Amino acid sequence: MKRSVIDILDLSTEEIESLIATAQDIIARPAEYAHACAGKKLATLFFEPSTRTRLSFEAAMYELGGNVLSVTDAATSSASKGESVADTARTVSCYADIIAMRHPKEGAALVAANAASIPVINAGDGGHCHPTQTMADLLTIRREKGAFSGLTIGLCGDLKFGRTVHSLINAMARYPDNKFVLISPEELKLPSYVKKDVLQEKGIPYEQTTSLEAALPQLDVLYMTRVQRERFFNEEDYLRLKDSYILDAAKLKAAKGDLCVMHPLPRVNEIATDVDADPRACYFKQVLNGKYMRMALILKLLKEAAQ
Ligand code: NCD
């Protein structure tokens, strides 16, 4: 049966476990999967800029032996002629077996999923969510920390518009004994639909602070984010807030020795390059983990669609 993944909560915790197990098996035995999607086509429809997400979906499909059709820019697609997301999704369903879609509007992936006759994976819808980045983040946390519970997780930067933060909180809130430290300027605080409906609703402990330095010593995971320039209404506000937090090697001295520093990338100034050589820097491992998790997800959804 056709099934789409729009939100990380579309996958149960058992399914997340099973995707992690598949990803780990792919890492251990890549040759076993080299022809798993032979004859299948993934369409990547990206109406917003991307390097990692699109290329990692495409690399994932190639490593599964499948093929890729790609729209890399809204301006060169019929979206620029005024075609609706629903019509585009219906059309692409005639050519491909599965879609990964990124769109600047919140809810666009859901509209596509409702119209398509093939599975749709949300590769980021505006400031809303980004489930496959969260899958990359989860595999990274599992490989680095060994567990999804008992962690103090700091989220730093643009918590308002950062869709990766919203999805990661939704995912980690399902596991016991975690605490969140929300580090942002006043103007970029976590939206209340995440704070109230997820953290407060579930009674999950959290702190809010504007100081990265104050938060750092207690953290097991630090998730840095870019200030999302493209979601601001005016450039002045962006310029004022863009360098609110910069993690560098000097600040990192106050952190735990086994801190896991994450970032969905692209980074602008949030993490100085002098952090890159620190063994606690995990952001490029996250990139690779994203490819394996996307391989596991494509496999799962194509298998379910064939049943
Ligand atoms: C993120 C995104 O697109 O939301 N990037 C990504 O997919 N790895 C984060 C960002 O753009 O800042």
Side-chain angles (χ1 to χ4, degrees):
M1 216 180 62
K2 174 203 126 180
R3 170 142 177 244
S4 293
V5 173
I6 306 304
D7 192 297
I8 191 68
L9 298 180
D10 292 339
L11 298 163
S12 67
T13 52
E14 293 75 23
E15 286 177 310
I16 297 274
E17 270 321 303
S18 139
L19 287 163
I20 288 175
T22 305
Q24 283 173 329
D25 197 46
I26 293 170
I27 294 167
R29 308 182 305 140
E32 295 296 315
Y33 294 86
H35 307 289
C37 291
K40 297 289 180 193
K41 279 171 279 176
L42 163 76
T44 52
L45 309 181
F46 276 61
F47 301 114
E48 218 187 36
S50 169
T51 300
R52 269 152 297 275
T53 307
R54 185 172 63 81
L55 293 186
S56 97
F57 265 111
E58 297 185 356
M61 194 54 169
Y62 285 125
E63 288 187 29
L64 291 167
N67 290 300
V68 173
L69 306 172
S70 199
V71 169
T72 57
D73 179 8
T76 60
S77 78
S78 285
S80 69
K81 299 179 183 171
E83 184 169 55
S84 69
V85 165
D87 281 3
T88 302
R90 235 172 257 142
T91 300
V92 174
S93 299
C94 301
Y95 307 139
D97 301 283
I98 186 165
I99 292 173
M101 190 177 96
R102 167 168 291 187
H103 199 282
K105 288 217 174 88
E106 291 78 5
L110 182 60
V111 170
N114 289 337
S117 57
I118 58 178
V120 174
I121 303 173
N122 181 9
D125 61 329
H128 184 219
C129 55
H130 192 349
T132 62
Q133 179 61 47
T134 300
M135 290 170 51
D137 301 342
L138 290 175
L139 181 57
T140 306
I141 294 172
R142 175 60 62 82
R143 294 180 87 185
E144 300 303 316
K145 306 304 295 178
F148 290 149
S149 24
L151 299 171
T152 299
I153 303 160
L155 299 141
C156 178
D158 189 345
L159 308 189
K160 180 178 181 187
F161 297 116
R163 56 193 172 196
T164 62
V165 166
H166 307 157
S167 293
L168 184 60
I169 291 178
N170 267 299
M172 291 305 289
R174 296 202 286 198
Y175 302 96
D177 302 328
N178 290 316
K179 178 182 160 187
F180 293 90
V181 185
L182 309 173
I183 310 154
S184 75
E186 281 299 317
E187 295 91 332
L188 298 178
K189 277 183 165 168
L190 193 68
S192 72
Y193 80 87
V194 186
K195 195 163 63 193
K196 291 210 176 80
D197 301 352
V198 184
L199 298 178
Q200 291 175 5
E201 179 75 24
K202 293 182 166 215
I204 295 168
Y206 71 91
E207 277 171 26
Q208 280 184 293
T209 174
T210 53
S211 168
L212 173 59
E213 287 83 346
L216 205 48
Q218 63 171 316
L219 304 179
D220 300 302
V221 172
L222 171 59
Y223 196 90
M224 296 295 294
T225 62
R226 171 180 73 90
V227 175
Q228 307 274 300
R229 177 182 209 156
E230 64 276 34
R231 317 234 184 268
F232 275 68
F233 295 110
N234 68 69
E235 185 74 359
E236 247 168 64
D237 285 348
Y238 167 72
L239 292 173
R240 185 168 49 81
L241 295 168
K242 73 182 174 70
D243 291 326
S244 298
Y245 302 103
I246 299 177
L247 180 70
D248 57 20
K251 283 192 192 124
L252 210 47
K253 287 201 177 105
K256 288 187 182 174
D258 63 350
L259 171 70
C260 172
V261 180
M262 300 173 69
H263 192 308
L265 303 180
R267 72 173 145 185
V268 185
N269 289 326
E270 313 78 55
I271 304 182
T273 51
D274 66 4
V275 176
D276 295 358
D278 192 296
R280 293 170 287 185
C282 295
Y283 26 96
F284 288 106
K285 293 183 187 172
Q286 252 171 293
V287 175
L288 187 58
N289 287 333
K291 183 185 71 176
Y292 295 126
M293 286 302 267
R294 289 182 177 107
M295 288 174 79
L297 183 64
I298 291 169
L299 266 177
K300 174 182 170 66
L301 296 183
L302 284 179
K303 197 167 154 201
E304 288 183 18
Q307 281 164 359

